[in-house]
Amino acid sequence: MVGLSIRCRASGGGLARRLATAMVLALLPGVAWGEAADATMPHQIVLFGARWCAPCMAELGHLPDLVRAAAPDRLVLAWIDRPIPIRGELAGQVDTMDAVEARRLADRELGEGFGLPAAIAMGPAGRACRPLRGSIAATDLAAWRRNCLASR
């Protein structure tokens, strides 16, 4: 059994539980999007970074814009050294992932020796699109998200 802990701050917990379930499925080998996947469920945009990564920290300054560009999908900050605290006004809109799990997911989706920053979009069943490597602006995120999700 794969363990996963995402600090979920979504009100009510229903969405948070579904997102956590999707992350667990993402870590299981051979899990792919099914025809029956709930198309109305938000996807996750996982932003990989670290505190020692200057471009990663600069991206955090644009987090409100990134949240708007990702909507209706959820942003998940997957910092591989230690989680980043989320500012008050974004607390219900952004999730954080434990550093160990972030590193495990980064190794799996980005490959061993990956570079930062990077991002992946994950569907309801946990299947990720081709990673976006490097810093991302809100305008780039919206276009990448559209192309990624349309290619499914």
Side-chain angles (χ1 to χ4, degrees):
M1 177 101 185
V2 176
L4 182 72
S5 65
I6 300 176
R7 207 171 38 185
C8 298
R9 295 186 171 147
S11 61
L15 176 61
R17 275 192 298 278
R18 289 192 313 243
L19 292 170
T21 300
M23 291 304 296
V24 168
L25 291 172
L27 295 172
L28 298 175
V31 173
W33 291 42
E35 296 274 329
D38 182 4
T40 63
M41 182 178 167
H43 295 75
Q44 295 174 313
I45 308 295
V46 181
L47 302 177
F48 293 99
R51 289 176 184 260
W52 46 261
C53 169
C56 302
M57 296 306 290
E59 253 180 14
L60 287 180
H62 304 288
L63 198 54
D65 295 332
L66 293 172
V67 166
R68 282 190 292 281
D73 299 336
R74 296 279 300 182
L75 284 183
V76 178
L77 297 181
W79 254 234
I80 63 165
D81 51 356
R82 61 181 192 219
I84 291 288
I86 305 301
R87 296 191 323 237
E89 67 272 9
L90 294 175
Q93 302 173 48
V94 178
D95 298 318
T96 59
M97 184 182 293
D98 175 77
V100 172
E101 287 135 9
R103 180 64 184 235
R104 194 176 304 143
L105 183 61
D107 282 338
R108 189 181 126 233
E109 294 296 334
L110 304 174
E112 200 170 319
F114 57 85
L116 295 174
I120 58 172
M122 299 179 70
R127 187 170 142 210
C129 287
R130 190 186 77 199
L132 182 122
R133 300 188 186 271
S135 294
I136 188 164
T139 54
D140 299 331
L141 177 60
W144 172 70
R145 180 186 162 281
R146 277 191 308 275
N147 291 336
C148 178
L149 299 177
S151 69
R152 301 224 177 253

